[in-house]
Every structure is written in structure tokens, then in C-alpha cells.
Amino acid sequence: MSRRSNYDRAVKIRAAVLEQFGEPLVVQELELAGPRAGEVLVRLTACGVCHTDMYTASGADPSGYAPTVLGHEGAGIVEAIGEGVRSLVPGDHVVTLFSPQCRECIHCLSPRTNLCLAIREQQNKGYLPDGTTRLSRDGEPIRHFMGTSTFSEYTVMPEIALAKVDSEASLEAACLFACGLSTGLGAAMFTAQVQSGSTCVVFGAGLVGLGAVAGCRLQEAERIISVDLSDERLALARRQGATDCWRADGQVVERVLDQTGGLGADYTFEATGLVAVMREAVESARMGWGLCTIAGVAGKGETLEVVPRLLITGRRICGSSFGGVKGRDQVPELVQRYLGGEIDVAPLISHRMGLEDVNRAFELMHAQDGIRSVLALGS
């Protein structure tokens, strides 16, 4: 595919399509139209396979739709730009953002949230900002997923949903900053804003939990306790900066209280999506000022029960979407810290495979085999 600016004719691409919920994705040929005003054509080179993709494919997500091209943890190279695009040019290396940043809406202008409002309505329906799609098959539209659709050789996305990163960064490593790694890092650095010398407990040592451990380390926490069922994952947490690694045994709350004079940890983080673990994270937070940050996504219809007295005595609970990261501004900064050696990405990539193996990546995730599978896309 050339870098010519006029893409009036759709081009053929290979992509993994969710045809029916609960069924394997089908890798097939689709048509991709070129970028319109404010849009960018990206040649994708790497994409992580995230739990959100599997959750949607299963049919458990009540907001899911099909057919669609899944994938949202992508990185690649700009091939062409539409009219009005000013921040990117062909050849730029980019990370895809399911959480865009227009830099103009009331949320983007506020330091209190990263939830951009600019294209949210159409994005949630599977469309680009103008209410249409660029993906099609035999003339029938195929909807976009999370505004990204990165299980594909190429994608068209809004300019405001792409973060330009240093071309020296490995795109295989950079794609993890598109979702899981940034979510964990940001939960500690931007949502909770962990203070130096603090005691932190991170429940879960998947990619988000390991990112939270690394974020606590970068914030100079004094004690970082990682909790998980897997010894292998706890070993990875140690490598990311955990000072203590505990097996999840149902006694973690009591152990935290015992080792903090009965008060609890300054900061706790939940990164499993299990409401029972969320409750443990709340109960482990310090009396007086403990902050529990929920980064995991619970199942449909599940609720978190909290004893009100825990809140009356000073504990707080907050949620964290994409770690509170303002993508276009802060993802490049996080990638720069990776390039500077402060964030160790290599051990987080457990499996490498091609687009045709995407269903195998789901199987590995379901078996909790490794941290992240990364798809190599295109040439």
C-alpha cells in the first residue's frame, strides 16, 4: 500500500473478524477505505491480545456487537493522513488509543479525568466519528471495535486516537502501552498518585497488576506487596519492583493489617476483575487515608459490597479507566521511560505469533499461560 493521499478506492486487507459470539474469530480478506477528514491510515505491525477482546468475543459484554474486527492494543506506522490532520505525518510511529484525547472537550481540559467526550457516542456503537465505517466485506459494512480494530494488517482511526511515539522504541513493546501496561502504570502514577515512602498492595499480577507494581516503584513507594495465585507471576512482580510477593490464600487482609499495626496499606490496587478480590483490596486499605483503586473489570451484573464503616473511618475507593492516562500526551512519556530503562517490558511478552493464531492467543489467555501474547502483523 502506497502513501498516496487519495484513497478513493478500497484496498484489500487481512483481518480477524468476530462473526458470532462464542465462536472462533475468522481471519479473512476485507476492504478498507482510505482516511477521511481527521483520520489516519496506520499499517499495524504488532498487537497485544487483551482480556477485553476475549470478553467481547465470548458474548458476555452486553454492549458487544458483531460482525466486527476486534483488537485494540496496537502499534504501527502512519501510511497516509486525511484532510485536516496536523499532528501526524506518514512514517510516524504510533500507538493506538481506545481512550482518545481531543485536547478540547471539558474532560480533556480538566486534570481530573482522562475520559475524552469527543467521539465517545459513535465509538461505542462501532463507528468512526462521522457515523460510518471504513471496513466492509462485499459492500456490507463491518463495524470497528473500540475505535481501533487492530487485529488487522491496516486500520483507519481518528487522529485524536493515536499517540506518536519515539521511532527508536520497539513497536512490539510499544503496543503494550496501548492498554494493559499503561492501565497499570497509570493507576499508580496518575489515578492514585502514590506518594514516596508509601506502602502499597497490588492484587493480581497479570499485565495490569505488573504495571501497577512498576508504577508504584516509579513513584518511589517504600513497600510494594504483590498478591497472586501464581508463583511464576509473583516472580515477574519481583522483577518489576515488588518488595514482597504473597500467595493469595484468603488471609491477605489479615496479613496486611498484621504487618501495618492494624491500620492497613496506604494504597491498594485491584487488577483481577473479581469482586471478592475488590472487597479484599478495600478492606486492606489504611484507616484514615487509605485509597483503593479498582482497575479490574467485573462481570456483567456483579456488585461490590462494602461495609460503610470502612469508608466512614477514612478509606476511599476510586475507579481507573486506562490508568487515568491522557493518551496522546502521556503514552509517549511512558514509552520514553521504557526507552530509558525504567520500565522492563521484555518479560511481559510471553508469546509471539501471527494473525492467523489469534484464537490460540485466546486459548493461552484462558489457561493463564503467560502475561501477554503479541501478534506480528503485516510485513
Side-chain angles (χ1 to χ4, degrees), residues 183-184 187 208 212 269-273 278 293-298 318-323:
T183 296
V208 174
F269 299 88
E270 189 285 324
T272 70
M278 293 177 187
T293 300
I294 306 293
V297 178
C318 70
S320 182
S321 174
F322 194 43

Side-chain angles (χ1 to χ4, degrees), residues 13 25 30 38 122 137 162-163 177 184 188 191 198-199 290 299 336 345 349 364 379:
I13 63 167
L25 304 190
L30 300 178
Q122 293 299 336
R137 179 179 55 205
L162 292 165
F177 291 89
T191 302
S198 300
T199 294
Q336 208 61 45
V345 176
I349 301 175
L364 291 167
S379 56

Side-chain angles (χ1 to χ4, degrees), residues 276-339:
V277 178
M278 293 177 187
R279 182 165 180 168
E280 287 186 278
V282 174
E283 294 175 351
S284 297
R286 191 191 193 284
M287 171 187 173
W289 61 69
L291 176 63
C292 172
T293 300
I294 306 293
V297 178
K300 177 183 178 182
E302 293 186 310
T303 59
L304 172 61
E305 293 185 0
V306 178
V307 177
R309 183 168 292 277
L310 294 173
L311 307 181
I312 293 169
T313 51
R315 297 166 188 84
R316 295 168 294 143
I317 307 171
C318 70
S320 182
S321 174
F322 194 43
V325 174
K326 289 183 182 287
R328 294 169 74 193
D329 293 340
Q330 292 175 318
V331 164
E333 295 172 359
L334 293 175
V335 170
Q336 208 61 45
R337 297 190 80 162
Y338 148 67
L339 284 173

